[in-house]
């Protein structure tokens, strides 16, 4: 391997080489200065030999050939150890010179990991650091404890123009220019002396100095040479192509270098140096090695310079033991290269050690050496060492990126302490990629903040702002740190002398995920909150509302889209003069309050005549490279406001506050509107702007409307102005009590100049809200609900059923709303169920006279309200023992409010099939007229079955039974529950519970009307259904209850009659079976099993119409037990044990029964069963037959023994 390929090899080649001490006269220097060089600089380019090929034999008899060799030249006056201050200044100058060359790199982008991994060691470490290391080593040259820098030869140079040149050699050798190490006896005084006569050809022909050269050789021997220079006649010599100067020479940029040197002169200098090296210096050192057996250190150093490393190493090891025993620490350190009484010597040893480790690939160990050096050196040298340590960590396998970044930050900090800002910035910038997007927020803030601050110090303000932007949203920092970051950022921006525009300004934070675009095409909204309702919900509500031609795949937009360019296929439509609103969240991540002003959208509107023929309609945000170039101010095409108007908002965001802002743009002309982004001004100092960027991969699912894909397309087709309705519902409460009934007003306002027609409305929850009639506006509420003297109801059953079935309401044909006018229509509201309710209303209207392709529009309304509990009403119904047509009813009422009082006004049952009766000798069905908060009340009354055979159409009549619940002295009017809107709400309640709106004669519906004190009426309904699993029969046993009989003469016979009544609207097949003992079966299968209907349910709820006397006794609890097989029953049924008959609808029949009793006692005659089966009214109907079994009611007969 070529040693010059590694830095260690080059360092050894350049620094561990023989030193030639030069003594010259002033005239020699004058001759050289004609070429801009001193004498040593003249010789330096020819002091390096890559292939000198000189045989060398040192201590061994085996020779070797020396290929690479170099001579170091030094004036005698320079051969001394540099003092510490001078060395520091020299090293500082090296660093300062390097910093001037890094300015261009500081403006470029910081390096990235991918690029650094491709670099080699030489490309990674800046070249000036190698120079710094060399200069650091050279500051310790010519020390007394080692002979590497001690001259092995002395070159004496005299000019041919000097008077008495022969004597001049003696003079310069005996002057005080000799180094102190030589006069002190540290250096070997018997160095090789070589005499050179320098002749300037411009002073005369060389032939004139032949005699001088001959005299020199006679005096000093064969070590005398002649060198002629300046042979060129003009200043156009041939020496300009040679690299004369080492790093940092004062003549580096001098155009007069070697201007008088001809080719012959250059060749003469090269030959002189080659002859000096091969014929004098190398043989002299070789000879010294052979005779220096007693001077081991000098021997080892000379062997090292001649590349005999084995000889040098063996002598160093031999010396180290002796020096250690003698406690000659400086000399011991010189041979060990690991320690020194001088820290700078230790640093030099560390550099050599680190380079050796790096040459062996041990970069981590080398980094540790650099770090140890940095701990003992001042800031500047420590910074260079730390930077080299970071590169070693990066070059480790695998790369140690965290240590790389950390040591670069330490180096940058030391550079800044040494007033080397360029190097500090460079070190911090190189560490940025380590802390980017890895969660190390504190050190990332430290790096960006200091880099930005240091850039501002050197005047590169735009880059300073870029880095300061990275620390603005530092929510994790303390309040003091946030204030410091913010103030320094504003100071830097103000230093620029203009209002700075920043792309993606991080303060405040724009939450792009919260972006919502609110606009209106044929869909308009009564309030901004209505837009957030799911589109699918609106579509399901509007299925019957919009024309059928618009519900397919094609719609009214087709003609508009076809007339536009194909590039607008997916662009939504907005109307000129109507606002497009962008809803965005602005977040202040700091604890410091910030002022944000002039918040507006960035838009562009291409007029219809200016739309380009090709290209995409969607706007693409600029690349980040154009952050400070393509600002909104450069793209503003609406400076005069003729195309559109923008809203501008101001806000102060408190610490950690989030505010949602609605930014509007209103196009004025037809064309293509593009919404590109948002802009704002922070603290009236810096303008921030951000373009809307979205991931094109996250596309909406197929089949979604264009409105839901706006996050990927913020371009709108602007069409000409259209009429638009605004709407509000007057007196609609936010909170109501359950059962509340109110009359509301729907007010429509046409804000355009065009009229609208064919108005239709669809309501999502007709259980709560239904349209009224125009006549309702002319009457007072609640007087309009009072029962009229005429027995005929205002609403016919046909009208009620039509309104219930047709949930789409069409306004009268003559209902046209002219431009600029209002239109009012009544609405009835009833709070049917407790909880939070959302009402959705869609109003369809058509454009009366407009040339636009949009023929209709829909107004959408959404209201949220809360229904609070009011009165809980439950019913319990039991058959009356004395009559098959009467039932006892218990009504339980509980006031669930916390502070409201209700007065009970009226109880009604719907239809004329039932009648409510007060109990005998009772003036009222309840003891009190008002119900306080939290109070419970039970009421008892009778319910009479007034049903007859239902008509052929099977429809209910709507003239119900009503009972006032107030005192007789009060003149309270009856409420007509059979008229609108109570009839409609009643039908919607039945439909909500899955009951047929057509009606069932076996179902009784109760309506309780109460009034909350200080408020309106409360319409509290209860509904009691009869299902197929209920028994359709009611029956009663008639006969004697007590008998006296003499059982000594015979058994006793008793006759009874079982009266059975059908409660069904269909024929019932009945089979009566009697048992002397009950059959073994699960008695829980009884078809008349009772259900507990006393649950506290709000609104409408079901109440079971029971067919036994649960209130009086428990049927199941009084069953006679099964008799033992071996025991005789005390009575038996006589005559028929099984009877079967058919009972017509709503008819009554009697069956005769007889029993025989064998002993006195009390007997329960309930051991019989009724098996029933209901047949449908119409033949051929499948699936409506029901059947069941009912056990007998308890009937107790007491038989007394009465002997004659």
């Amino acid at each position: 391997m070529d040693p010059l390929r590694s830095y260690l090899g080059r360092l050894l080649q350049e620094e561990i080489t023989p030193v030639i001490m030069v003594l010259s006269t002033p005239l020699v220097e004058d001759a050289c200065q004609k070429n801009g060089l001193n004498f040593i600089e003249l010789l330096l380019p020819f002091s390096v030999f890559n292939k000198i090929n000189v045989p060398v034999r040192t201590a061994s008899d085996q020779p070797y050939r020396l290929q690479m060799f170099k001579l170091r030249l030094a004036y005698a006056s320079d051969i001394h150890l540099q003092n510490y201050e001078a060395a520091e200044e020299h090293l500082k100058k090296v660093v300062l010179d390097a910093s001037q060359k890094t300015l261009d790199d500081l403006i470029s982008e910081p390096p990235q990991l991918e690029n650094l991994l491709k670099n080699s060691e030489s490309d990674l470490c800046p070249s000036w650091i190698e120079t710094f290391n060399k200069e650091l080593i050279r500051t310790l040259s010519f020390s007394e404890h080692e002979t590497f820098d001690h001259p092995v030869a002395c070159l004496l140079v005299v000019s041919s123009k000097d008077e008495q040149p022969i004597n001049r050699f003696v003079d310069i050798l005996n002057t005080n220019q000799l180094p102190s190490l030589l006069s002190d006896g540290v250096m070997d005084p018997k160095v090789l002396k070589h005499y050179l006569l320098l002749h300037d050809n411009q002073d005369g022909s060389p032939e004139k100095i032949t005699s001088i050269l001959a005299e020199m050789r006679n005096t000093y021997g064969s070590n005398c040479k002649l060198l002629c220079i300046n042979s060129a006649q003009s200043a156009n010599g041939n020496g300009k192509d040679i690299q004369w100067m080492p790093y940092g020479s004062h003549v580096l940029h001098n155009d007069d270098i070697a201007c008088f040197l001809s080719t012959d002169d250059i060749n003469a200098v090269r030959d002189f140096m080659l002859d000096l090296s091969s014929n004098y210096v190398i043989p002299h050192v070789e000879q010294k090695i052979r005779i220096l057996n007693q001077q081991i250190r000098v021997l080892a150093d000379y062997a090292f310079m001649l590349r005999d490393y084995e000889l040098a190493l063996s002598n160093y090891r031999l010396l180290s033991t002796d020096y250690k025993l003698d406690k000659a620490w400086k000399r011991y350190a010189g041979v060990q290269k690991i320690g020194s009484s001088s820290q700078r010597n230790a640093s030099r040893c560390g550099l050599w050690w680190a380079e050796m480790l790096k040459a062996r690939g041990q970069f981590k160990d080398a980094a540790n050496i650099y770090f140890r050096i940095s701990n003992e050196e001042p800031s500047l040298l420590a910074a260079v060492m730390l930077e080299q340590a970071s590169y070693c960590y990066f070059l480790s396998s695998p790369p140690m990126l965290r240590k790389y970044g950390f040591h670069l930050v330490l180096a940058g900090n030391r550079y800044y302490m040494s007033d080397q800002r360029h190097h500090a910035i460079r070190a911090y910038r190189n560490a940025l990629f380590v802390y980017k997007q890895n969660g190390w927020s504190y050190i990332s803030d430290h790096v960006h903040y200091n880099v930005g601050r240091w850039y501002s110090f050197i005047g590169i303000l735009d880059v300073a702002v870029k880095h300061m932007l990275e620390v603005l949203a530092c929510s994790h920092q303390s309040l003091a740190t946030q204030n410091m970051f913010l103030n320094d950022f504003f100071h830097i921006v103000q230093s620029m002398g203009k209002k700075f525009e920043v792309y993606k300004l991080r303060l405040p934070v724009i939450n792009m995920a919260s972006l919502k675009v609110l606009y209106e095409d044929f869909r308009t909204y009564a309030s901004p909150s209505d837009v957030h309702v799911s589109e699918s919900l609106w579509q399901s509500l509007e299925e019957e509302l919009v024309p059928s031609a618009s519900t397919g795949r094609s719609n009214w937009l087709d003609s508009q889209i076809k007339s536009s360019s194909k590039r607008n296929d997916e662009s939504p439509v907005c109307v000129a003069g109507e606002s497009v609103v962008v809803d965005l969240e602005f977040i202040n991540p700091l604890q410091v309050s910030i002022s944000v002003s002039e918040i507006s959208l960035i838009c562009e509107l291409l007029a219809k005549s200016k739309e380009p023929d090709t290209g995409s309609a969607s706007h693409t945000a600029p690349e980040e490279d154009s952050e400070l170039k393509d600002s909104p101010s450069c793209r503003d095409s609406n400076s005069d406001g003729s195309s559109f108007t923008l809203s501008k908002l101001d806000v102060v965001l408190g610490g950690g506050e989030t505010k949602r802002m609605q930014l509007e743009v209103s196009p004025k002309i037809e064309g293509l509107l593009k919404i590109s982004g948002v802009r704002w001004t922070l603290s009236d100092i810096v303008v921030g702007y951000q373009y809307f960027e979205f991931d094109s991969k996250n596309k909406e699912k197929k089949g979604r409307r264009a409105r839901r894909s706006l996050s990927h397309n913020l371009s709108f087709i602007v069409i000409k102005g259209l009429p638009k309705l605004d709407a509000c519902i007057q007196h609609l409460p936010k909170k109501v009590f359950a059962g509340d009934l109110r009359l509301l007003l729907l007010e429509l306002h046409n804000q355009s100049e065009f009229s609208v027609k064919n108005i239709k409305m669809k309501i999502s929850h007709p259980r709560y809200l239904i349209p009224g009639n125009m006549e309702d506006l002319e009457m007072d509420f609640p007087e309009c609900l009072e029962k009229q003297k005429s027995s005929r109801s205002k609403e016919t059953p046909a009208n009620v059923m039509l309104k219930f079935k047709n949930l789409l309401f069409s306004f009268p044909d003559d209902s046209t709303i002219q431009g600029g006018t209002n239109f009012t229509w009544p609405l009835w509201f009833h709070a049917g169920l407790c909880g939070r309710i959302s009402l959705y209303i869609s109003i369809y209207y058509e454009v009366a006279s407009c040339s636009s392709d949009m023929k209709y529009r829909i107004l959408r309304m959404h209201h949220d309200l809360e229904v609070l509990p009011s009165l809980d009403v439950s019913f319990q119904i039991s058959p009356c023992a004395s009559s098959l047509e009467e039932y006892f009813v218990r009504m339980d009422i509980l006031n669930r409010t916390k502070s409201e009082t209700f007065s009970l006004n009226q109880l009604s049952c719907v239809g004329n099939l039932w009648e409510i009766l007060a109990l005998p000798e009772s003036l009222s069905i309840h003891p009190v007229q008002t119900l306080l908060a939290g109070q419970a009340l039970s009421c008892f009354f009778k319910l009479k079955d007034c049903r007859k055979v239902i008509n052929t159409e099977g429809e209910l009549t709507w003239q119900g039974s009503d009972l006032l619940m107030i005192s007789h002295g009060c003149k309270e009017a009856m409420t007509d529950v059979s008229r609108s809107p109570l009839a409609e709400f009643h039908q919607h309640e039945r439909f909500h519970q899955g009951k047929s709106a057509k009606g069932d004669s076996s179902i009784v519906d109760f309506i309780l009307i109460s009034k909350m004190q200080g408020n309106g009426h409360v319409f509290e309904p209860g509904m009691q259904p009869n299902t197929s699993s209920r028994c359709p029969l009611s029956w009663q046993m008639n006969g004697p209850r007590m008998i006296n009989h003499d059982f000594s003469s015979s058994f006793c016979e008793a006759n009874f009659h079982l009266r059975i009544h059908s409660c069904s609207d269909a024929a019932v097949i009945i089979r009566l079976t009697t048992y002397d003992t009950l059959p073994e079966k699960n008695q829980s299968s009884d078809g008349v099993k009772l259900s507990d209907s006393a649950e506290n349910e709000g609104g409408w709820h079901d109440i079971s119409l029971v067919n036994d006397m649960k209130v009086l006794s428990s049927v199941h609890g009084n069953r006679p037990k099964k008799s033992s097989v071996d025991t005789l029953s005390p009575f038996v049924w006589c005559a028929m044990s099984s009877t079967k008959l058919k009972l017509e609808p709503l008819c009554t029949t009697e069956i005769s029964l007889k029993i025989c009793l064998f002993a006195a006692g009390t007997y329960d005659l309930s051991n019989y069963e009724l098996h029933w089966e209901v047949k449908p009214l119409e033949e051929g109907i499948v699936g409506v037959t029901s059947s069941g079994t009912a056990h007998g009611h308890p009937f107790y007969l007491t038989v007394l023994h009465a002997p004659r």
Side-chain angles (χ1 to χ4, degrees), residues 524 526 724-730 745-751 756-761 809 811 815-825 827 841-845 859-861:
T524 64
K724 176 183 175 183
L725 291 183
D726 286 336
C728 67
I729 300 179
Q730 297 182 8
L745 294 179
L746 171 65
E747 185 174 344
L748 302 177
H749 174 66
N750 185 357
Q751 55 181 318
V756 298
K757 61 180 182 178
N758 296 338
I759 308 172
K760 294 182 288 185
M761 179 171 61
F809 177 74
F811 290 85
S815 299
T816 300
I817 306 178
Q818 303 295 329
T821 62
N822 295 338
F823 179 79
T824 304
W825 193 265
L827 297 176
I841 305 172
S842 291
I843 301 176
Y844 168 93
Y845 58 94
L859 174 60
R860 295 171 170 176
M861 304 175 65

Side-chain angles (χ1 to χ4, degrees), residues 1035-1039 1041 1056-1058 1133 1153 1165 1168 1195:
W1035 65 93
Q1036 183 178 14
M1037 179 78 76
N1038 295 321
R1041 296 280 185 174
F1056 296 91
H1057 298 280
L1058 186 65
W1133 294 95
L1153 300 174
L1165 307 182
Y1168 62 89
F1195 185 88

Side-chain angles (χ1 to χ4, degrees), residues 731-745:
H731 315 304
L732 179 64
K734 292 294 184 181
K735 289 186 178 181
V736 293
F737 288 99
D740 194 3
L741 179 68
R742 301 192 182 199
L743 177 62
L744 309 177
L745 294 179

Side-chain angles (χ1 to χ4, degrees), residues 698-705 708-712:
N698 297 330
K699 294 184 178 178
E700 294 290 329
K701 295 182 179 179
K702 185 177 180 180
R704 299 290 294 272
R705 296 180 67 93
R708 293 302 173 189
S709 62
L710 283 179
S711 59
H712 307 290

Side-chain angles (χ1 to χ4, degrees), residues 584-649:
L584 267 180
E585 281 187 357
F586 287 74
I587 305 172
N588 179 13
L590 305 181
Q591 305 175 42
V592 185
S593 298
I594 58 174
S595 173
V596 186
S597 58
E598 298 182 352
I599 308 173
S600 63
L601 295 173
I602 304 173
C603 302
E604 181 181 3
L605 197 152
L606 303 177
K608 188 174 183 180
S609 59
K610 297 180 181 180
E611 289 186 29
D613 296 334
T614 60
S616 173
S618 62
H619 179 75
T620 302
E623 299 292 334
E624 290 194 12
D625 293 340
S626 60
E627 289 179 2
L628 305 177
K629 299 178 182 178
D630 193 14
S631 62
S633 59
C634 302
R635 306 172 61 248
D636 189 5
S637 59
N638 185 50
S639 57
D640 57 351
S642 59
S643 301
F644 55 85
T645 57
L646 294 172
S647 65
K648 293 187 178 182
L649 304 179

